[in-house]
Amino acid sequence: WPPRQARALREPGHLVGTNAGPLERAVRLRGSYRAPAMSSPLTQNEPVIDEDVFAGLLGLVSEQRPRFVHDLLELFLARSDEGLGRIGAALASGDLDEAYRASHSLKTSAGMLGALRLQVLFTELNEAAEAGRSGAAERLYEGVVAEHVKVREVFSRWLLGG
């Protein structure tokens, strides 16, 4: 685990830590990686990205596929940006079914990449939407967006230097 990459996975002060989606299918095709079980609730002391989970992904890189993790991160960032837009639009129009669908696949993808805090927030948003609790879903969406900004920053730094 190169120290430069380890530092890139943490925020200064370390304050922030089924149905198969495209990321999960890609990882399953590459090896025996297993997504971590969620340990909810995660605290503010958890890292933005869990280093053990991310190290497991790095272990799947091969000579035949040296950009495997890069490709997964780029796919996640693109899909999560799109998904957040879908969730926001769905919540604004009162379409909790669409908010549920959009958050469902993102929770799995976030966890597979080690963004466990984001995974928990997506899960809570998903459950609120499924239960018809629009106010709770809207509040959780704000938290998801804030955490996603942190995850995007960490992954972007890794992509630039990793």
Side-chain angles (χ1 to χ4, degrees):
W1 180 262
R4 180 185 71 207
Q5 290 176 336
R7 278 192 310 273
L9 295 177
R10 276 191 274 247
E11 222 178 38
H14 75 291
L15 288 176
V16 193
T18 98
N19 289 331
L23 292 173
E24 188 172 332
R25 285 192 299 271
V27 169
R28 284 183 183 165
L29 292 174
R30 290 285 303 132
S32 61
Y33 174 79
R34 260 184 358 136
M38 277 195 312
S39 56
S40 182
L42 295 176
T43 68
Q44 289 296 317
N45 294 324
E46 296 292 329
V48 175
I49 305 300
D50 183 281
E51 291 181 18
D52 292 334
V53 174
F54 199 77
L57 284 176
L58 290 174
L60 297 175
V61 172
S62 68
E63 287 184 23
Q64 295 79 24
R65 191 80 196 260
R67 289 188 44 88
F68 179 67
V69 173
H70 280 81
D71 294 345
L72 285 178
L73 294 181
E74 289 170 351
L75 178 62
F76 174 75
L77 292 174
R79 295 275 170 96
S80 60
D81 286 345
E82 175 204 345
L84 286 174
R86 285 178 48 208
I87 294 167
L91 291 172
S93 69
D95 187 352
L96 293 178
D97 289 335
E98 176 60 18
Y100 170 82
R101 283 189 298 276
S103 62
H104 188 75
S105 63
L106 291 173
K107 69 179 181 177
T108 302
S109 299
M112 290 195 59
L113 295 174
L116 302 184
R117 290 178 49 83
L118 185 59
Q119 179 186 29
V120 167
L121 289 168
F122 272 129
T123 299
E124 291 173 353
L125 189 153
N126 186 258
E127 291 169 355
E130 183 178 37
R133 299 187 333 258
S134 60
E138 290 170 7
R139 286 188 299 280
L140 286 162
Y141 176 70
E142 292 173 12
V144 164
V145 170
E147 187 67 20
H148 182 264
V149 167
K150 296 168 187 172
V151 169
R152 171 174 272 295
E153 180 182 320
V154 171
F155 284 161
S156 296
R157 282 191 314 226
W158 191 89
L159 286 167
L160 291 173

